[in-house]
């Protein structure tokens, strides 16, 4: 038994729903009690989908338990097929139905339906959403491609590919697909099928015709892509095109798989991240401490971008996706930190506090933590929120994705010169940490802080960032400081003051220095190098 | 068309009412929340209580998805997620629960009332939560009282979770002395601001001994006994009413306090029980009635003569339909409700015309087909259906807001009307096509 307030992932049948909702011509008959229909609103509200997800819930009740829940399933299944006329159906059970063991697979088979039935076994008390999505996609691929012979691709002049892994409710999947498709167009590589997002069961059956697979989200597509590789000798790509360098690597990897020259495409496609990062005003980004948490794909990619393309220092890296813990551990070792593998958001919060980051890149969960700690933050991964489906084109992948990353990760941070001015003229009445931002003075009070509480993606929009993660803006100074040292400490900009205070106190405690004087403060600064 | 011409026939002539109508009952997919969802408001209402769901990952996921409110640093609810080890019998479920509760109470010593909430999985595996609550209560009382109820989706829909919670709480209320003078207990969660308004009105009417259930503190429960008179603030309280009646309390029959008319009739029912003079009642309620009427007038033009279709959600639907029909002149096409408690709904149904469709339970696909055929001006439905209907060019009001917003009483009558008028007004204002 595990105590949970928030969860990073839903149950595995929600993963299956994401696959069903990604595709057309497919319907999912889910043996489940009435409350499980809440999952519909993930799609209709978070993603603002215009249609109900293609799911029929059997809605069995307590009074059915003593009688015949199997009959409830049979009826629902038959009605769903008649009403929605899908090309194929998925059948399965949610957590409660798993306990009553009605065997939806057997029941659906016995109905003698004229369309293919793909049974799903998703152990609810053991596995989670992403696993459920990957398993469902794999079962679909096996169901529709299994037993098919090796297709003859010898006549072809150009190699073709499938793009695998994009789903409903995936973080920016909608825009990533367009971006990656653009890269493949530039390389002159025809796309055979994009799946699951936008595919039909008939499209799934055509997957073996491609020469290779482009795997964008291993959490969803890895299992299926590995099976396709074994069964149809379809190699798969392994580079995730997030960031400028990774995208260039991706272009080269795809070019190799397709047997084409990457250079014309690389020349044609460009991005601004690299130049913006080299631009002198970006100097202040150097060594900014960043804490990264998310699904494995986005977290590992973000760490690389942070270090190699923005000049940040990765001070924490982790994932809730245990299935991909190994990849994240390897990446963390490369960045010189210990990987945090957990699905307990309280543990993540503790790790963020301990790491003292200046920027948090995480999920909606970390965004809330960062908001509480008054740290700048950007969202990089599922679980998603309605704000993660922006109206504008906003991919994470490809060259335009790199531009988006620069904007959305750098803008929450304070600009360099502003930082200096704050340090130099600390007594300016409009400029000190107890004053409101001057352009917001009309709002009075702490209105800007409250405004940013109401669901702004950049938690510090309008509010001065505050690096002191324990104390409120006008914090009380602790005992053990001389009056002069206290005054000197107050001259340090508030967004780094907390760290200066802690460093100085640690320095003093380790050396038995009491009370802390101005000298101690600067000794500590010299000792820690910042 | 003038406002008067748009008035429904029955509002003008008073056709046969809906109390006699046989509800339409269809068996199929429901599109409703389970009873666990009540925790979203209960955990804010009862400030020293903590709701611990004993369930699955689905329950935890439901809570965060349905609530959509991860804004709270730490909500006063959580889920003890049953896992494979518990089901395989490798871990004793009761021992595991005790361990989880220990950990929780160590971290949150401020909890005065711990509520174990049963779910679909805990019901199906027949985990005896009342017994577990008794055991934990012996361990943790008096610092923390431990009680339990079921919010499982195989037994409860949405607001029925609160019903079961209050039924469970009813057994915990201290017994009022036999010689106690008559007291009023208002049952059902109200927004704090609404509660305060009603408290002032009762005070002005001379009804001094007034308690609200649930109380804002689980550690300050009101007394109950044969001299307690119950006034329901919410329509979903069948089990809670029964439990309170078994403690001797007597129910005052009244419509629900929505709009000017509903609120007046509701207060009048209490006033009559407590022997308040007509003059005093008139004098105390007049300002509120006038304000409610003035506030409603702003929205009448938008709502009068409009056709409205209710999908089942909270059991408030008949009372809301009464409000829209009688107080704004809207035409009600169908009133869907997850469960129809005839006795509690009688006063509201009596004011609805007999020609509307009253449906209980749901086959959502058939109901959607009926709704499309009726082509109403406004569809009141849940969040799973709202956007798909909007994408068809229809206008909707998402029903969950009617449970989460303060809508009862005179001062909120205008707000309630506005909740229905706003989508219509917005639809008229927007020049974009989809």
């Amino acid at each position: 038994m595990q105590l949970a307030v928030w969860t990073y992932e839903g149950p595995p049948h929600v993963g299956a729903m994401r696959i069903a909702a990604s595709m057309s011509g497919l319907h999912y008959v889910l043996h489940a009690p009435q409350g499980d229909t809440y999952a519909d609103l993930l799609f209709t509200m978070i993603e603002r989908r215009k249609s109900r997800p293609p799911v029929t819930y059997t809605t069995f009740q307590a009074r059915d338990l003593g009688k015949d829940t199997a009959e409830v399933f049979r009826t629902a299944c038959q009605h769903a097929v008649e009403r929605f006329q899908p090309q194929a159906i998925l059948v399965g059970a949610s957590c409660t139905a798993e306990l009553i063991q009605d065997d939806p697979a057997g029941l659906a088979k016995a109905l003698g339906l004229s369309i293919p039935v793909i049974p799903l076994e998703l152990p609810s008390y053991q596995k989670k959403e992403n696993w459920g999505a990957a398993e469902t996609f794999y079962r679909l691929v096996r169901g529709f491609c299994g037993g098919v012979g090796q297709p003859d691709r010898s006549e072809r002049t150009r190699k073709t590919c499938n793009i695998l892994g994009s789903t409903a409710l995936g973080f920016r999947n909608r825009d990533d697909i367009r971006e990656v498709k653009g890269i493949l167009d530039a390389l002159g590589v025809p796309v055979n099928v994009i799946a699951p997002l936008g595919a039909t069961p008939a499209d799934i059956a055509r997957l073996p015709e491609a020469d290779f697979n482009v795997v964008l989200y291993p959490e969803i597509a890895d299992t299926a892509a590995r099976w396709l590789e074994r069964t149809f000798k379809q190699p798969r790509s392994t580079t995730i095109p997030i960031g400028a360098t990774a995208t260039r690597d991706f272009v080269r990897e795809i070019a190799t798989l397709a047997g084409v020259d990457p250079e014309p495409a690389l020349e044609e496609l460009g991005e601004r991240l690299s130049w913006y990062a080299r631009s002198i005003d970006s100097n202040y980004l150097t060594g900014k401490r960043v804490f990264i948490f998310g699904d494995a794909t986005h977290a590992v990619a973000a760490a690389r971008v942070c270090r190699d393309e923005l000049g940040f220092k990765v001070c924490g890296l982790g994932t809730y996706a245990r299935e991909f813990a190994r990849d994240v551990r390897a990446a963390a070792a490369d960045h010189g930190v210990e990987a945090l593998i957990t699905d307990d958001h309280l543990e993540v919060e503790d790790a963020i506090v301990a790491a003292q980051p200046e920027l948090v890149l995480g999920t909606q969960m970390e965004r809330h933590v960062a908001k509480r700690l008054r740290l700048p933050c950007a969202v990089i991964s599922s679980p998603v929120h309605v704000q993660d489906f922006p109206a504008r084109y906003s991919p994470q992948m490809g060259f335009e994705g790199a531009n988006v990353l620069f904007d959305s990760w750098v803008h929450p941070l304070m600009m360099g010169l502003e930082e200096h001015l704050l340090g130099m003229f600390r007594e300016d009445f409009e400029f000190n940490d107890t004053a409101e931002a001057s352009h917001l003075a009309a709002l009075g009070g702490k209105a800007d802080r409250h405004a940013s509480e109401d669901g702004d993606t950049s938690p510090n929009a309008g509010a001065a960032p505050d690096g002191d993660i324990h104390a409120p803006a006008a914090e009380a100074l602790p005992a053990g400081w001389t009056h002069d040292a206290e005054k000197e400490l107050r001259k340090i900009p508030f967004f780094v003051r907390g760290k200066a205070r802690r460093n100085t106190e640690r320095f003093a405690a380790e050396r038995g220095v009491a009370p802390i004087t101005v000298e101690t403060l600067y000794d500590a600064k010299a000792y820690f190098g910042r | 068309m003038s406002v008067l011409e748009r008035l429904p026939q029955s509002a003008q002539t008073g056709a046969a009412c809906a109390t006699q109508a046989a509800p339409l009952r269809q068996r199929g997919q429901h599109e409703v929340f389970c009873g666990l969802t009540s925790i979203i408001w209960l955990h804010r209402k009862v400030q020293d209580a903590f709701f611990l769901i004993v369930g699955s990952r689905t329950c935890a996921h439901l809570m965060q998805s349905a609530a959509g409110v991860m804004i709270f640093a730490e909500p006063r609810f959580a889920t003890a997620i049953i896992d494979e080890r518990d089901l395989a019998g490798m871990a004793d479920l009761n021992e595991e629960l005790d361990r989880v509760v220990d950990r929780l109470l160590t971290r949150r010593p401020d909890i005065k009332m711990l509520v174990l909430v049963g779910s679909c999985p805990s019901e199906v595996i027949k985990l005896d939560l009342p017994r577990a609550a008794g055991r934990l209560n012996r361990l943790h009382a008096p610092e923390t009282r431990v009680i339990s109820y079921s919010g499982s989706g195989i037994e409860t829909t949405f607001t029925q979770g609160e019903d079961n919670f209050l039924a469970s709480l009813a057994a915990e209320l201290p017994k009022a002395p036999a010689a106690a003078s008559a007291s009023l207990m208002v049952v059902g969660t109200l927004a704090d601001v609404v509660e305060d308004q009603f408290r002032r009105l009762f005070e002005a009417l001379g009804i001094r001994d007034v308690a609200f259930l649930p109380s804002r503190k689980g550690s300050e429960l009101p007394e109950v006994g044969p001299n307690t008179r119950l006034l329901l603030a919410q329509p979903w309280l069948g089990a809670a009413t029964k439990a309170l009646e078994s403690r001797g309390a007597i129910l005052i029959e009244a419509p629900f306090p929505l709009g000017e008319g509903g609120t007046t009739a509701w207060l009048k029912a209490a006033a009559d029980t407590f022997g308040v003079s007509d003059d005093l009642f008139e004098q105390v309620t007049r300002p509120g009635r006038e304000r409610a009427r003035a506030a409603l007038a702003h929205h009448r033009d938008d709502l009068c003569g409009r056709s409205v279709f209710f999908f089942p959600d909270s059991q408030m639907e008949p009372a809301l339909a009464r409000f829209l029909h009688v107080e704004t002149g809207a035409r009600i096409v169908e009133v869907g409700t997850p469960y129809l408690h005839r006795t509690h709904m009688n006063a509201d149904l009596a004011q609805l015309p007999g020609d509307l469709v009253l449906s209980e339970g749901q086959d959502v696909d058939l109901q959607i087909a009926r709704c499309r055929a009726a082509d109403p001006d406004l569809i009141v439905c849940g969040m799973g259906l709202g956007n798909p209907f909007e994408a068809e060019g229809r206008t909707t009001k998402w029903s969950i807001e009617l449970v989460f917003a303060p809508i009862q009483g005179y001062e909120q009558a205008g707000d309630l009307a506005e909740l229905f008028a706003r989508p219509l007004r917005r639809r008229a204002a927007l020049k974009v096509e989809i």
Side-chain angles (χ1 to χ4, degrees), chain A residues 57-342:
Chain A
Y57 305 79
T58 58
T59 313
F60 59 84
Q61 293 171 295
R63 62 162 185 260
D64 300 317
L65 289 178
K67 291 182 278 174
D68 199 357
T69 46
E71 184 52 36
V72 175
F73 179 84
R74 274 191 290 266
T75 312
C77 197
Q78 206 130 32
H79 283 173
V81 172
E82 286 161 16
R83 191 172 280 139
F84 300 104
Q85 307 198 334
Q87 294 175 20
I89 55 167
L90 299 166
V91 298
S94 78
C95 51
T96 307
E98 186 182 330
L99 295 170
I100 58 177
Q101 299 184 327
D102 272 339
D103 182 25
L107 292 170
K109 287 237 164 73
L111 286 174
L113 301 169
S114 57
I115 53 167
V117 175
I118 311 287
L120 299 175
E121 296 274 348
L122 308 175
S124 308
Y125 298 90
Q126 194 187 341
K127 301 290 191 181
K128 289 178 283 189
E129 179 178 335
N130 278 341
W131 184 89
E135 173 71 8
T136 303
F137 186 50
Y138 167 65
R139 289 290 155 198
L140 270 173
V141 171
R142 273 202 79 149
F144 283 96
C145 307
V148 179
Q150 183 75 23
D152 179 19
R153 306 177 185 123
S154 59
E155 296 293 298
R156 236 171 249 169
T157 50
R158 290 195 299 179
K159 289 193 175 178
T160 69
C161 69
N162 302 310
I163 305 177
L164 304 182
S166 50
T167 62
L169 287 178
F171 187 74
R172 306 284 168 86
N173 285 193
R174 174 196 76 191
D175 297 343
D176 286 350
I177 285 292
R178 186 170 131 194
E179 190 63 22
V180 169
K181 182 86 174 30
I183 291 176
L184 292 165
D185 286 347
L187 283 166
V189 178
V191 176
N192 178 48
V193 170
I194 299 173
L197 200 60
T200 63
D203 291 333
I204 300 290
R206 294 195 296 110
L207 285 175
E209 291 170 20
D211 293 276
F212 64 97
N213 287 313
V214 178
V215 178
L216 295 187
Y217 310 96
E219 279 87 347
I220 309 294
D222 203 48
T223 322
R226 283 171 192 270
W227 182 80
L228 287 166
E229 185 171 41
R230 283 197 305 275
T231 313
F232 300 107
K233 301 191 175 58
Q234 281 178 329
R236 64 197 159 88
S237 67
T238 55
T239 309
I240 307 298
I242 295 181
T245 11
T247 300
R248 272 188 272 277
D249 293 349
F250 174 80
V251 172
R252 291 195 187 93
E253 185 187 16
I254 299 301
T256 308
L257 287 167
V260 298
D261 179 10
E263 294 312 319
L266 284 172
E267 230 157 84
E268 177 195 332
L269 305 166
E271 40 77 27
R272 295 188 192 91
L273 177 145
S274 305
W275 167 238
Y276 279 27
R278 293 283 296 272
S279 152
I280 51 169
D281 69 288
S282 292
N283 245 306
Y284 77 101
L285 300 175
T286 313
K288 289 265 184 205
R289 295 168 62 81
V290 55
F291 186 97
I292 302 167
F293 194 85
D295 66 16
T297 301
H298 289 90
V300 170
R304 180 178 175 189
V305 173
C306 284
R307 182 187 61 189
D308 298 348
E309 302 179 19
L310 298 172
F312 294 160
K313 164 86 186 112
V314 175
C315 66
L317 177 60
T319 185
Y320 55 81
R322 286 186 190 280
E323 292 89 345
F324 290 82
R326 193 195 298 190
D327 300 349
V328 177
R329 286 207 179 91
D334 188 35
H335 289 275
V337 292
E338 197 180 328
L340 176 66
I341 314 292
T342 181

Side-chain angles (χ1 to χ4, degrees), chain B residues 157-169:
Chain B
T157 304
F158 196 22
T159 50
Q160 283 174 311
E162 170 167 347
D163 189 20
N164 281 354
F165 168 60
L166 294 185
S168 179
L169 208 53

Side-chain angles (χ1 to χ4, degrees), chain B residues 261-283:
Chain B
T263 305
T264 305
W266 187 75
L267 289 170
K268 188 77 172 81
D272 288 348
T273 306
F274 284 82
V276 178
S277 75
D278 287 353
D279 282 353
L280 180 62
F281 185 81
E282 169 66 22
Q283 186 197 321

Side-chain angles (χ1 to χ4, degrees), chain B residues 303-327:
Chain B
L303 293 166
C304 191
R306 301 289 191 161
S307 55
V308 183
F309 191 111
F310 281 90
F311 276 77
D313 191 51
S314 66
Q315 292 189 46
M316 277 173 123
E317 295 79 11
L320 291 166
R322 198 253 349 132
F323 165 77
L324 282 180
H325 176 70
V326 176
E327 305 200 21

Side-chain angles (χ1 to χ4, degrees), chain A residues 1-2 4-7 11 34 37-38 40 44 50 52 57 59 62 64 83 95-96 125-126 128 368, chain B residues 27 29-32 56 58 61 64 70 79 81 84 86 96 99 120 153-154 156-157 365 383-384 387-388:
Chain A
M1 204 173 261
Q2 181 203 348
V5 181
W6 308 124
T7 67
Q34 60 180 3
T37 54
Y38 80 86
D40 281 1
T44 59
K50 289 185 178 175
R52 295 165 64 207
Y57 305 79
T59 313
D64 300 317
R83 191 172 280 139
C95 51
T96 307
Y125 298 90
Q126 194 187 341
K128 289 178 283 189
H368 283 89
Chain B
R27 178 74 183 81
Q29 178 183 320
H30 292 191
E31 185 81 27
V32 288
S56 63
T58 314
H61 195 238
Q64 80 186 45
M70 291 170 22
T79 309
I81 299 180
E84 210 186 14
D86 303 314
E96 284 289 296
R99 184 180 60 78
C120 298
I154 53 176
T156 61
T157 304
D365 293 298
M383 292 190 283
N387 272 339

Side-chain angles (χ1 to χ4, degrees), chain B residues 6-163:
Chain B
R6 277 200 266 143
L7 260 184
Q9 280 296 306
S10 54
Q12 297 167 19
T13 61
C17 74
T19 40
Q20 302 307 318
L24 176 67
R25 288 199 183 90
Q26 287 171 324
R27 178 74 183 81
Q29 178 183 320
H30 292 191
E31 185 81 27
V32 288
F33 285 134
C34 65
L36 296 180
T37 326
S38 298
I39 294 170
I40 295 167
W41 65 85
L42 291 175
H43 90 282
R44 287 286 130 195
K45 180 71 194 181
V46 190
Q47 293 170 16
D48 54 358
F50 193 99
F51 293 81
L52 181 64
I53 300 164
V54 182
S56 63
R57 181 168 299 281
T58 314
C59 306
H61 195 238
L62 154 86
M63 289 305 289
Q64 80 186 45
S65 309
V69 281
M70 291 170 22
I71 45 172
F72 303 119
E74 214 174 292
R76 289 185 294 268
F77 66 77
T79 309
I81 299 180
I82 298 168
D83 61 32
E84 210 186 14
R85 289 180 63 249
D86 303 314
L87 294 174
M90 286 153 71
D92 181 287
L93 259 177
N94 283 301
E95 281 173 20
E96 284 289 296
L97 184 60
D98 293 0
R99 184 180 60 78
V100 166
V101 167
D102 269 349
R103 186 179 157 207
L104 181 66
L105 292 180
T106 314
R107 244 167 59 85
R108 298 290 300 260
D110 53 321
I111 300 170
K112 296 278 175 280
M113 180 163 74
L114 176 68
V115 190
L116 304 180
V117 189
S119 64
C120 298
S122 78
E123 295 293 320
V124 168
I125 61 173
K126 302 205 184 323
L127 179 61
D128 191 345
L129 280 188
R131 206 163 140 226
R135 183 183 65 241
L136 286 161
N137 194 51
R138 282 191 294 281
L139 284 172
H140 299 290
E143 288 77 20
T144 307
R145 179 204 303 266
V146 185
I147 65 168
S148 75
Y149 72 91
S150 170
S152 94
I154 53 176
E155 292 158 322
T156 61
T157 304
F158 196 22
T159 50
Q160 283 174 311
E162 170 167 347
D163 189 20

Side-chain angles (χ1 to χ4, degrees), chain B residues 193-198 200-201 257-261 263-264 267 284-296 298-299 323 327 406-418:
Chain B
V193 58
V194 178
E195 201 176 290
D196 293 341
Q197 290 165 7
F198 283 148
R200 285 197 295 272
L201 282 170
L258 301 175
E260 185 214 340
T263 305
T264 305
L267 289 170
V284 168
T285 55
R286 191 189 306 128
R289 291 199 322 261
E290 279 168 7
R291 282 199 297 270
R293 217 170 303 149
L296 276 169
H298 295 297
H299 309 289
F323 165 77
E327 305 200 21
I407 57 169
Q408 291 82 3
Y410 293 129
E411 318 306 342
Q412 283 69 237
D415 303 342
L416 176 57
E418 207 219 338

